Amino acid sequence: LDLGIKILSQNLCIGDRPYGSIKERSQRFAALLADRSPDIVGTQEGSFEWSTYLDDMEGYGAVGISSEGKRAKSGEWNMILYKKDRFVLMDSGNFWLSGTPNSSSHNPNSFASRVCTWAELFDTYTGRTVIMVNTRFDNSTEAVRMEQASILVRHLRSELGDRYTQCQ
């Protein structure tokens, strides 16, 4: 019996063009999930419309917010989906890859606000806890991406404390 975790990363492409409407792509995404049956999915470039669809995804729980803030209907969502029949959501959170990670913000040299979503999941198959981290680094410069990576590690250490250290 293989108790490994299958993880899928999927860029949803925020708009309708040139890849077809979100409604059309959501059907292809559902078919991909049915075919591959990932246990955990990290999505990038979602939209409010995508977030609504993903929140209602059959068999999956979902966490994540917009890069523009918790109640925003614009911006990009980086969501985490997890199979509800395998995992129990223990904790989750979001932070921005900027000098002010606790509020919707962006690095002055980046093109856009970048949010990181994390989820602490209890795996009922193995009895172990998994921390899934999902984000999208800026596409401006390597220096900005390196700074964002540094913020990500620092903030995870701070927010998750011992749980972060145990998962390395």
Side-chain angles (χ1 to χ4, degrees):
L1 180 63
D2 178 12
L3 295 178
I5 299 172
K6 289 195 279 184
I7 298 175
L8 173 72
S9 177
Q10 181 67 44
N11 187 314
L12 300 172
C13 299
I14 199 164
D16 282 345
R17 293 197 174 34
Y19 308 106
S21 72
I22 291 174
K23 182 178 180 181
E24 293 166 331
R25 291 194 326 258
S26 66
Q27 293 167 354
R28 293 193 304 261
F29 184 61
L32 175 68
L33 295 183
D35 180 56
R36 301 290 172 93
S37 190
D39 299 304
I40 301 173
V41 181
T43 69
Q44 302 82 41
E45 281 195 60
S47 62
F48 179 74
E49 186 177 353
W50 269 111
S51 73
T52 303
Y53 171 77
L54 297 175
D55 279 339
D56 295 332
M57 178 72 62
E58 188 173 331
Y60 286 91
V63 295
I65 63 171
S66 166
S67 60
E68 302 301 319
K70 190 172 186 173
R71 292 180 178 82
K73 292 189 177 183
S74 60
E76 294 182 12
W77 274 250
N78 292 324
M79 296 184 74
I80 295 173
L81 307 176
Y82 58 91
K83 280 189 175 175
K84 292 190 288 188
D85 67 350
R86 178 168 183 172
F87 296 99
V88 176
L89 179 65
M90 304 299 290
D91 199 3
S92 68
N94 305 278
F95 59 92
W96 283 262
L97 303 178
S98 71
T100 55
N102 292 318
S103 61
S104 177
S105 55
H106 71 279
N107 178 310
N109 298 316
S110 65
F111 288 135
S113 296
R114 301 297 182 189
V115 67
C116 178
T117 298
W118 61 269
E120 182 178 7
L121 304 166
F122 177 74
D123 186 344
T124 61
Y125 291 12
T126 66
R128 299 182 73 187
T129 299
V130 175
I131 296 176
M132 172 69 176
V133 177
N134 185 48
T135 195
R136 177 176 179 233
F137 291 132
D138 201 73
N139 54 338
S140 56
T141 68
E142 183 176 348
V144 167
R145 289 187 293 276
M146 293 300 290
E147 183 179 344
Q148 290 174 330
S150 178
I151 291 167
L152 183 140
V153 170
R154 239 184 358 261
H155 197 77
L156 287 174
R157 280 185 182 145
S158 170
E159 188 151 337
L160 299 176
D162 290 341
R163 296 177 292 173
Y164 173 81
T165 306
Q166 294 169 7
C167 291
Q168 288 187 14

